[in-house]
């Protein structure tokens, strides 16, 4: 069944494949006609600054350059399970969204069509809706599906491609943890937001002579903590890639005190890891207070306060880092990614993800794009530079 879809679909595209032709337009512009029909676009996973800029670029490039049509698919893959959640997007509908945070398409971190959890009669039932997604994709007469997401969403995209759906991926995440692209859009904005917060916390830390712990997002990668920490002048940066010992953090605080500096800024990645045999951590491990899951920043802040008998304040930046207007560089990257996705659709190069390599927008296969996260190399130049100026990573 699935295979038949794949063969039939591809042969339909092949039959209608025309050579590139240029059609003169009234304003002297030209629309390049390359067998370009209707494409769909959806977002998946957490939202991220720049999603709207990608949608706008896809709609405008598909319409202006190729005379094609774009369907906005709402609430991630849900829009292909329930096709009433699809709507045609013209350039008019995507006006004024370039600078807007969030996503006009909506998104969800749940809703994997291969493993869809629904509540029925008070029970959770799991469905495989992949067949329905394929049928609705065909019924909407879509030529290609542009999927904008991180590792989880792009893995779903890859699996749909394996079933014959002509998919094109666009890498999105504030975590910057996709290995096939130098940068994902959204990351620069998150680093800006976190740096701005650290700058503000810096002034209040200095006024009160306090130790300030700032927890940032990033899941299992330390990119946001490293870059925002360095840009914000952090004294200690704790990232998942370099496991820390609390004694080393205390040493840094003490060193600053000895130099007459009354405050310290400690930037903590949400996924940072304490060394398994850390004595301070182990001594407090069984205390009731920690039986409820506390975030990394809150645990570290509590232990510093208790052990050093000093005033500590913790700020967990959380979803602030995902909201708000994208930076100019993220607007540009999102726009270039959106256009590149349309170009792939025009060339019928499916099963690929657009990516940034150096200064070049290129693409790789979805197989290359997923399954391996990009973490901070502990010996990278940026880590070495941070160490050279006295930043502690809570390790030797
Ligand atoms: O992947 C982006 C991200 O913001 C991570 O940094 C964070 O761990 C996670 O998503 C939070 O997800 P949610 O919004 O589902 O809590």
């Amino acid at each position: 069944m699935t295979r038949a879809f794949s063969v039939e679909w591809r042969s339909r595209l092949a039959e209608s494949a025309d050579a590139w032709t240029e059609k003169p337009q009234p304003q002297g512009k030209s629309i390049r006609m390359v067998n370009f029909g209707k494409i769909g676009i959806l977002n998946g996973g957490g939202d991220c600054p720049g999603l709207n800029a990608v949608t706008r670029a896809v709609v405008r490039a598909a319409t202006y350059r190729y005379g094609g049509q774009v369907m906005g698919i709402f609430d991630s893959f849900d829009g292909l399970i329930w096709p009433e959640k699809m709507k045609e997007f013209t350039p008019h509908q995507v006006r004024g969204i370039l600078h807007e945070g969030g996503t006009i398409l909506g998104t969800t971190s749940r809703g994997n069509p291969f493993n869809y959890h629904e509540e029925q009669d008070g029970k959770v039932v799991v469905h495989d809706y992949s067949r329905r997604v394929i049928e609705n994709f065909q019924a909407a007469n879509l030529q290609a599906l542009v999927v904008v997401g991180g590792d989880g969403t792009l893995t779903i995209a890859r699996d749909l491609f394996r079933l014959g759906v002509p998919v094109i991926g666009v890498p999105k995440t504030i975590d910057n943890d996709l290995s096939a692209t130098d940068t994902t859009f959204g990351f620069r904005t998150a680093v800006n937001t976190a740096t701005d917060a650290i700058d503000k916390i810096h002034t209040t830390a200095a006024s009160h002579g306090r130790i300030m712990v700032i927890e940032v997002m990033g899941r299992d990668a330390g990119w946001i903590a490293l870059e925002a920490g360095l840009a914000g002048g952090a004294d200690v940066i704790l990232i998942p890639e370099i496991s820390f010992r609390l004694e080393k953090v205390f040493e840094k605080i003490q060193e600053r005190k000895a130099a007459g500096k009354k405050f310290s800024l400690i930037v903590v990645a949400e996924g940072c890891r304490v060394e398994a045999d850390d004595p301070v951590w182990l001594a407090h491990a069984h205390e009731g207070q920690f039986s409820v899951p506390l975030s990394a920043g809150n645990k570290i802040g509590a232990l510093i306060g208790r052990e050093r008998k000093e005033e500590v304040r913790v700020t967990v930046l959380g979803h602030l880092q995902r909201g708000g207007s994208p930076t100019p560089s993220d607007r540009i990257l999102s726009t270039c990614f959106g256009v590149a996705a349309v170009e792939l659709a025009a060339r019928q190069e499916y099963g690929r993800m657009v990516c940034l390599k150096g200064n070049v927008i290129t693409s790789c296969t979805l197989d290359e794009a997923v399954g391996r996260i990009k973490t901070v190399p502990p010996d990278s130049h940026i880590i070495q530079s941070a160490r050279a100026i006295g930043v502690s990573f809570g390790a030797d």
Side-chain angles (χ1 to χ4, degrees):
M1 236 0 215
T2 304
R3 205 161 159 68
F5 158 71
S6 159
V7 172
E8 181 197 311
W9 188 253
R10 285 185 184 138
S11 59
R12 238 170 83 194
L13 287 175
E15 270 165 29
S16 56
D18 290 326
W20 288 60
T21 56
E22 298 269 337
K23 264 196 182 172
Q25 295 296 296
Q27 316 90 323
K29 290 182 183 163
S30 64
I31 289 182
R32 287 195 262 171
M33 302 301 288
V34 245
N35 175 39
F36 203 101
K38 193 165 29 155
I39 61 176
I41 177 170
L42 64 81
N43 304 154
D47 69 342
C48 174
L51 278 170
N52 284 329
V54 176
T55 302
R56 173 179 177 269
V58 165
V59 172
R60 289 171 68 123
T63 312
Y64 296 153
R65 185 168 257 195
Y66 295 108
Q69 271 180 296
V70 178
M71 294 299 283
I73 299 168
F74 286 77
D75 301 335
S76 193
F77 293 98
D78 281 14
L80 282 167
I81 300 173
W82 293 281
E84 60 275 15
K85 286 180 176 233
M86 274 191 233
K87 176 181 153 190
E88 187 178 347
F89 272 1
T90 64
H92 180 78
Q93 264 105 27
V94 295
R95 273 194 332 195
I97 63 168
L98 174 62
H99 63 289
E100 296 283 352
T103 163
I104 60 167
L105 281 172
T107 189
T108 171
S109 313
R110 294 181 296 275
N112 177 350
F114 290 93
N115 188 19
Y116 201 96
H117 289 63
E118 270 179 307
E119 209 181 295
Q120 275 171 10
D121 304 325
K123 285 192 193 142
V124 176
V125 184
V126 180
H127 295 284
D128 179 354
Y129 280 138
S130 54
R131 188 71 229 159
R132 193 151 135 188
V133 162
I134 292 169
E135 281 162 7
N136 287 329
F137 175 84
Q138 281 180 300
N141 210 17
L142 295 174
Q143 165 189 333
L145 178 64
V146 176
V147 176
V148 189
D151 191 65
T153 304
L154 293 170
T155 302
I156 298 170
R158 191 268 320 267
D159 292 345
L160 285 172
F161 175 67
R162 285 180 176 169
L163 293 179
V165 181
V167 174
I168 293 159
V170 177
K172 162 243 71 161
T173 167
I174 63 163
D175 304 337
N176 197 30
D177 63 353
L178 287 174
S179 54
T181 184
D182 289 356
T183 319
T184 51
F185 73 84
F187 170 63
R188 290 269 145 252
T189 306
V191 169
N192 260 31
T193 302
T195 305
D196 187 44
I198 297 167
D199 286 347
K200 288 178 174 150
I201 288 169
H202 196 152
T203 57
T204 163
S207 311
H208 287 261
R210 281 170 171 164
I211 296 165
M212 297 299 229
V213 175
I214 305 110
E215 182 189 300
V216 300
M217 281 185 165
R219 216 180 278 266
D220 296 319
W223 296 106
I224 300 176
L226 177 62
E227 295 214 3
L230 196 55
D235 305 300
V236 179
I237 303 174
L238 303 180
I239 58 174
E241 295 84 350
I242 302 176
S243 53
F244 68 90
R245 297 181 83 79
L246 278 161
E247 288 152 336
K248 290 282 168 194
V249 176
F250 300 162
E251 260 174 37
K252 184 68 195 177
I253 296 169
Q254 193 51 43
E255 181 193 307
R256 286 180 55 77
K257 288 231 148 173
K261 293 162 186 160
K262 291 189 184 136
F263 73 94
S264 291
L265 294 178
I266 302 175
V267 173
V268 168
E270 63 178 346
C272 69
R273 294 191 177 106
V274 68
E275 281 198 3
D277 62 347
D278 183 89
V280 181
W281 199 272
L282 289 177
H284 295 276
H286 301 296
E287 288 174 17
Q289 173 174 0
F290 297 133
S291 58
V292 282
L294 280 184
S295 74
N298 278 303
K299 276 187 202 164
I300 290 164
L303 291 179
I304 296 173
R306 194 171 312 173
E307 288 286 316
R308 291 195 48 88
K309 313 270 181 290
E310 288 190 61
E311 255 195 321
V312 181
R313 295 290 185 270
V314 178
T315 307
V316 178
L317 295 185
H319 291 80
L320 260 185
Q321 296 155 98
R322 292 226 307 246
S325 184
T327 60
S329 64
D330 271 337
R331 295 180 201 184
I332 293 164
L333 185 61
S334 302
T335 300
C336 292
F337 276 167
V339 172
V342 170
E343 297 289 349
L344 284 180
R347 295 198 301 270
Q348 296 168 29
E349 288 184 33
Y350 304 127
R352 301 189 73 77
M353 180 189 83
V354 301
C355 55
L356 179 72
K357 290 282 180 197
N359 285 328
V360 179
I361 305 278
T362 176
S363 70
C364 63
T365 65
L366 281 170
D367 273 324
E368 289 163 333
V370 299
R372 288 167 297 132
I373 73 155
K374 178 180 70 187
T375 52
V376 177
D379 57 351
S380 57
H381 194 263
I382 185 167
I383 296 270
Q384 287 179 32
S385 300
R387 287 195 201 273
I389 59 159
V391 174
S392 166
F393 288 90
D396 291 324

